[in-house]
């Protein structure tokens, strides 16, 4: 059974189809990339999985459980966590606190129980804090842990956002263009972190990314969307050589990477 199973998902905006009977699977332990020209429906697909958009038809299961009937806020506790195409951090909060907020999805002890069972809540809070510190170390964010996230350079903010998504301890991590707007060095760092998360922690990743070099290098599987439909899917080499894919990218600046 795949970890994520997207089946016949259809989404329209005022009669215009953004997704048309989209089907694909993400196997546990893999990095799967969702690619396609601008406006192909990639972000919409992530939004359907995370619960921001509600498709008219279809099914999306995570570990065999239907997601579409689950309210958005409960999908995090089912094991989903994501980053956004545009940075969505708490700019005034420190790096550490941003990750603690991400961790909150996991917190077992709310305010009331903190008052009633102070000791247990305190121990839980300490454990959460230790885990968050581990993630900060892993992402080489230690020198910035007490700095306001909003004051960091762009590439580091993207990394903090990744950290916050990781802090929720997801089963499936959704990344929407984590390398967008980055220079070469920042892009290589981010690609390395995504690979390490997958290889060292075994985390399953669904990645939307337009940097074809990165996609072809780190993905186990690639799904190509075009005008809301799945145009091709398979191993990177197969997708890269698919004439349908090349045709869809014709004239796009991303196409140059496909031939390499
Ligand atoms: N909230 C929305 N309201 C109306 N149309 C939308 C909305 N979100 C996406 N769309 C439309 O859906 C299509 C797919 O968009 P999107 O998923 O953002 O593509 P991508 O991420 O692949 O660039 C586009 O035609 C876009 O205009
Ligand atoms: Mg998008």
């Amino acid at each position: 059974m795949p970890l994520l199973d997207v089946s016949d998902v259809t989404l329209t905006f005022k009669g215009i189809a953004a997704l048309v009977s989209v089907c694909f699977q993400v196997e546990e332990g893999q990095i799967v990339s969702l690619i396609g020209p601008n406006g192909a429906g990639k972000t919409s697909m992530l939004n359907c999985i995370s619960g921001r958009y509600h498709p008219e038809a279809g099914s999306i299961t995570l570990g065999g459980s239907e997601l579409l009937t689950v309210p958005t806020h409960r999908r995090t506790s089912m094991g989903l966590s994501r980053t956004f195409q545009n940075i969505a951090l708490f700019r005034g909060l420190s790096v550490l606190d941003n990750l603690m907020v991400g961790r909150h999805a996991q917190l077992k002890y709310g305010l009331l129980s903190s008052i009633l069972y102070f000791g247990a809540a305190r121990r839980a809070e300490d454990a959460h804090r230790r885990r968050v510190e581990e993630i900060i170390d892993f992402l080489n964010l230690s020198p910035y842990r007490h700095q306001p996230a909003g004051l960091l350079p762009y590439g580091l903010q993207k990394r903090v956002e990744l950290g916050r998504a990781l802090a929720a301890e997801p089963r499936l991590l959704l990344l929407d263009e984590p390398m967008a707007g980055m220079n070469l060095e920042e892009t290589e760092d981010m690609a390395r972190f995504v690979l390490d998360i997958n290889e060292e922690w075994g985390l399953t990743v669904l990645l939307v990314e337009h940097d074809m070099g990165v996609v072809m290098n780190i993905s186990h599987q690639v799904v190509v969307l075009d005008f809301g439909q799945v145009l091709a899917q398979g191993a990177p080499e197969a997708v890269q050589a698919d004439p349908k894919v090349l045709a869809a990218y014709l004239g796009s600046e991303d196409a140059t990477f496909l031939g390499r």
Side-chain angles (χ1 to χ4, degrees):
M1 183 176 66
L3 178 61
L4 183 80
D5 193 351
V6 174
S7 171
D8 279 324
V9 166
T10 295
L11 173 76
T12 57
F13 294 105
K14 298 198 175 107
I16 297 166
L19 297 170
V20 187
S21 290
V22 171
C23 296
F24 68 92
Q25 283 88 35
V26 177
E27 297 295 334
E28 183 128 44
Q30 291 203 334
I31 298 175
V32 175
S33 290
L34 199 54
I35 67 168
N38 237 331
K42 305 179 296 294
T43 298
S44 297
M45 190 63 239
L46 287 197
N47 284 339
C48 288
I49 299 169
S50 69
R52 178 177 273 211
Y53 292 168
H54 302 281
E56 288 93 79
S59 152
I60 304 178
T61 61
L62 182 72
S65 306
E66 180 61 54
L67 283 178
L68 294 182
T69 51
V70 176
T72 309
H73 63 273
R74 283 205 34 235
R75 293 191 200 184
T76 315
S77 52
M78 287 180 72
L80 271 183
S81 120
R82 71 173 295 179
T83 65
F84 293 86
Q85 191 166 356
N86 302 305
I87 289 172
L89 288 170
F90 296 100
R91 298 179 57 82
L93 289 187
S94 70
V95 168
L96 184 71
D97 286 342
N98 266 282
L99 266 69
M100 285 304 281
V101 170
R103 189 75 187 170
H104 189 77
Q106 271 263 318
L107 282 181
K108 201 171 149 201
Y109 295 94
L111 181 62
L112 182 63
S113 50
S114 310
I115 295 164
L116 293 178
Y117 309 104
F118 182 75
R122 181 62 185 269
R123 282 192 295 280
E125 183 70 14
D126 286 349
H128 286 303
R129 168 90 183 225
R130 276 198 300 279
R131 182 66 187 130
V132 160
E133 294 281 7
E134 277 171 23
I135 294 168
I136 285 176
D137 281 346
F138 179 83
L139 295 175
N140 292 340
L141 287 169
S142 303
Y144 318 102
R145 53 148 64 69
H146 295 304
Q147 293 189 21
L151 297 183
L152 296 176
Y154 180 82
L156 286 177
Q157 288 194 32
K158 284 294 231 190
R159 211 187 292 171
V160 176
E161 216 196 349
L162 174 64
R164 191 178 59 181
L166 287 175
E169 220 73 57
R171 294 179 71 188
L172 176 66
L173 179 64
L174 308 173
L175 302 175
D176 197 355
E177 304 212 6
M179 290 95 179
M182 287 188 166
N183 63 33
L184 189 62
E185 195 190 339
E186 291 169 334
T187 298
E188 282 173 355
D189 283 348
M190 184 56 92
R192 173 45 53 195
F193 285 125
V194 174
L195 262 181
D196 286 351
I197 288 160
N198 173 256
E199 284 173 0
E200 290 178 26
W201 299 355
L203 191 58
T204 312
V205 179
L206 178 59
L207 171 74
V208 168
E209 182 50 51
H210 73 251
D211 187 323
M212 290 302 153
V214 170
V215 165
M216 296 304 167
N217 268 327
I218 74 173
S219 311
H220 296 97
Q221 289 281 309
V222 178
V223 179
V224 189
L225 283 181
D226 192 27
F227 294 108
Q229 304 198 37
V230 175
L231 190 66
Q233 53 186 315
E237 312 78 56
V239 163
Q240 209 166 354
D242 189 325
K244 290 196 301 289
V245 177
L246 292 170
Y249 274 95
L250 211 64
S252 147
E253 62 181 49
D254 294 333
T256 50
F257 293 96
L258 279 169
R260 282 186 197 166

